[in-house]
Amino acid sequence: MRVLPCADLGLLVELDDLDAVRALHAALAANLPPGVTDLVPAARTLLLRLDPRTANPSEIEQFVRATRPVAVGEQNSELVRIPVVYDGEDLDDVAKLTGLTRQEVIIEHTETEWRVAFGGFAPGFGYLTGDSAKLEVPRRKESRTKVPVGAVALAGAFTGVYPRESPGGWQLIGRTDLLMWQVDRDPPALLRPGVRVRFEEVR
Amino acid sequence: MQVLETGPLSTVQDLGRPGHAGIGVGLSGAADRGSLRLANRLVGNDEGAACVEVTFGGFAARAVTDLVVAVTGATCPVTVDGRCGAMNSLLRVPAGAVLRLGLPATGLRSYVAVRGGVIVEPVLGSRSTDLLAGLGPEPLSTGSDLPVGLPHGDLPPIDFAPVACQPAEELRLTVVPGPRQDWFAPDALTALLSQPYTVLSESNRIGIRLDGPVLTRSKEEELPSEGTVAGALQVPPSSRPTLFLADHPVTGGYPVIAVVVAEDVDKAAQARPGMTLRFTARQRVAD
């Protein structure tokens, strides 16, 4: 564990991998040290946002170092099913990059159980990880200025669904009508850290 | 209160929406949080009540009922029905009168607090407009109605607050190196600290784009996205830093060479395009 300062506004905790991030996140979320206003989990880091008027960074660092990570349960969380039409503009490129056929990409995407690792990018955007490495692809060389709402995409080891129209550099493989974000829904985000996800092909 | 003019951009802001980073929602809130707090204290509100953040003046609103207001932040001419009022002080705006903010002489963002607070519908616990995430109330437009809440408690015994003057040309901001200082060539931090940067006009509530010496990286690999804070100096492939403000993204994929300390983030939020910023380093915050 490395703890890197972000002035008096944050502490960036660098960990070995996503599992370690999730375990520390679960432990700190259940017992938030005073002065910490938000936890921002990511692929290999957990950012603690601090209230600069009340937080004591060195005390919080000691607290984090003394925190015992919590093993995160794999089975008993909510499952969200996302119907997808697999007609994305980058589906052929993804097939080429992975050495699979179009149909094999779809099968791999629908047969993998995904899980929301963390949020970011936009409200309702979840970074989903699965235990298959077959779909790992780089981002597109040029990012699109407009990705439509509901686009289902791949980048790195992640898959995700664009919650609204926005720029984006992920490889588009399909689209869904299911809304990832509705501000008047409780909770507004369908994909929250820990939620399990199954994609289902709609023809 | 009814909005008559908005200037380039006027939004409702409070202290933002903490606790929602997991679903991709950033903090947002006032760009200059100290000025918002002061405005609220002057009119006897809770420090975090919603105010109007006026960017570069040009705001006017008519009081529908008798109001008590205070204007803080960027120093601009303030009038109530044409009569001059003072910044950082209690102003009484009778029903029917028009409160008007002219062009600021220095600074960029002014805050209008109304006794009772602006009580537009909150979203995820905050009345802030987050321009990056598209959350909260729309930016104000001519004819917008701003509902005002009921005051509680007494007015404070002091009705004027002395405020340090804002520099017109050069702003000095204190930074703490890191968290990704080690992703840069050793002379990058020296360049950041020894030479001035100019504020570019493509700056907004998300961040301040800067022109100045390039900050060369030593690690060329891709940084996995990680959480970011306001005040972060993130260095995109252009090699010039962007200084994140209130509506910055929750996570970022470029390394952060240094972070501006919290009280100076408020000062940075008052920087106008064309101004010069100079960064000085403070090592780890006092433990």
Side-chain angles (χ1 to χ4, degrees):
Chain A
M1 178 190 291
R2 278 210 305 165
V3 180
L4 309 167
C6 304
D8 50 352
L9 287 149
L11 288 175
L12 188 69
V13 183
E14 196 174 48
L15 296 150
D16 289 339
D17 54 28
L18 186 55
D19 285 340
V21 172
R22 288 172 48 195
L24 183 62
H25 180 232
L28 289 175
N31 187 16
L32 206 61
V36 176
T37 59
D38 213 343
L39 298 171
V40 190
R44 253 182 263 153
T45 55
L46 178 66
L47 172 70
L48 283 72
R49 287 222 186 104
L50 308 182
D51 177 348
R53 303 195 305 168
T54 58
N56 179 326
S58 62
E59 271 177 22
I60 293 170
E61 179 172 343
Q62 282 172 24
F63 187 102
V64 171
R65 289 188 182 280
T67 296
R68 196 181 283 246
V70 174
V72 181
E74 292 296 330
Q75 298 309 318
N76 301 319
S77 70
E78 183 189 341
L79 176 70
V80 171
R81 293 177 190 276
I82 301 180
V84 179
V85 178
Y86 285 93
D87 61 357
E89 287 175 48
D90 302 323
L91 194 51
D92 285 329
D93 287 347
V94 169
K96 244 180 252 154
L97 288 162
T98 54
L100 303 173
T101 64
R102 277 174 75 110
Q103 197 50 41
E104 284 167 343
V105 170
I106 297 166
I107 290 170
E108 194 62 25
H109 198 247
T110 50
E111 288 189 348
T112 299
E113 182 170 288
W114 301 90
R115 184 180 283 264
V116 183
F118 53 92
F121 175 63
F125 189 87
Y127 290 77
L128 309 182
T129 54
D131 52 13
S132 161
K134 286 187 190 168
L135 294 178
E136 277 206 40
V137 287
R139 286 163 187 239
R140 283 167 49 84
K141 291 223 161 52
E142 297 273 322
S143 87
R144 288 187 172 86
T145 52
K146 264 190 193 177
V147 173
V149 57
V152 178
L154 297 169
F158 299 107
T159 191
V161 183
Y162 284 82
R164 58 180 180 141
E165 186 181 283
S166 60
W170 288 31
Q171 310 267 6
L172 308 186
I173 58 169
R175 61 194 153 88
T176 180
D177 290 333
L178 200 61
L179 291 177
M180 297 298 114
W181 177 264
Q182 273 179 289
V183 80
D184 50 3
R185 181 170 62 192
D186 185 26
L190 212 51
L191 304 182
R192 304 174 305 282
V195 166
R196 293 177 299 139
V197 176
R198 282 279 188 178
F199 293 96
E200 293 175 344
E201 186 177 13
V202 181
R203 286 168 201 277
Chain B
M1 202 158 54
Q2 192 189 25
V3 176
L4 305 177
E5 290 166 32
T6 63
L9 176 70
S10 294
T11 57
V12 176
Q13 298 294 340
D14 54 21
L15 291 175
R17 31 183 88 76
H20 301 289
I23 53 171
V25 173
L27 185 57
S28 188
D32 175 354
R33 306 170 94 76
S35 292
L36 175 120
R37 287 193 170 104
L38 175 62
N40 277 322
R41 284 203 303 272
L42 280 166
V43 298
N45 289 345
D46 293 336
E47 274 196 334
C51 295
V52 179
E53 180 181 279
V54 178
T55 307
F56 209 57
F59 176 81
R62 186 185 304 280
V64 177
T65 55
D66 290 355
L67 297 177
V68 173
V69 307
V71 183
T72 63
T75 309
C76 56
V78 178
T79 58
V80 176
D81 262 358
R83 271 190 287 270
C84 283
M87 294 283 302
N88 309 307
S89 73
L90 217 59
L91 301 168
R92 292 180 190 274
V93 185
V98 173
L99 170 76
R100 192 175 288 277
L101 275 62
L103 284 182
T106 54
L108 184 63
R109 295 181 169 96
S110 309
Y111 293 85
V112 180
V114 188
R115 180 158 165 79
V118 173
I119 52 161
V120 294
E121 195 61 33
V123 172
L124 297 176
S126 163
R127 299 183 163 96
S128 290
T129 300
D130 183 332
L131 294 177
L132 179 69
L135 283 182
E138 290 288 309
L140 300 181
S141 55
T142 303
S144 297
D145 281 318
L146 289 175
V148 174
L150 290 175
H152 59 88
D154 296 331
L155 276 171
I158 291 168
D159 59 6
F160 174 79
V163 169
C165 69
Q166 292 149 343
E169 273 136 34
E170 186 174 279
L171 208 55
R172 287 174 178 268
L173 303 174
T174 301
V175 300
V176 177
R180 296 295 176 190
Q181 184 194 343
D182 56 347
W183 279 57
F184 292 86
D187 61 357
L189 192 64
T190 316
L192 178 76
L193 298 175
S194 58
Q195 296 181 60
Y197 283 84
T198 307
V199 175
L200 296 175
S201 56
E202 307 91 86
S203 298
N204 52 28
R205 285 180 40 85
I206 298 164
I208 300 176
R209 299 256 326 265
L210 294 170
D211 192 18
V214 297
L215 304 175
T216 314
R217 274 167 68 162
S218 56
K219 279 194 199 180
E220 284 307 327
E221 66 218 74
E222 207 169 297
L223 178 76
S225 292
E226 58 191 25
T228 58
V229 294
L233 288 165
Q234 193 195 56
V235 184
S238 70
S239 298
R240 270 107 180 167
T242 297
L243 199 174
F244 280 158
L245 294 182
D247 290 354
H248 69 87
V250 177
T251 58
Y254 300 118
V256 169
I257 189 170
V259 179
V260 175
V261 300
E263 63 171 318
D264 285 6
V265 175
D266 288 353
K267 293 184 194 161
Q270 296 294 356
R272 294 183 187 195
M275 265 184 99
T276 305
L277 303 187
R278 272 185 191 274
F279 299 105
T280 51
R282 180 200 292 171
Q283 284 305 323
R284 260 212 75 181
V285 187
D287 285 348

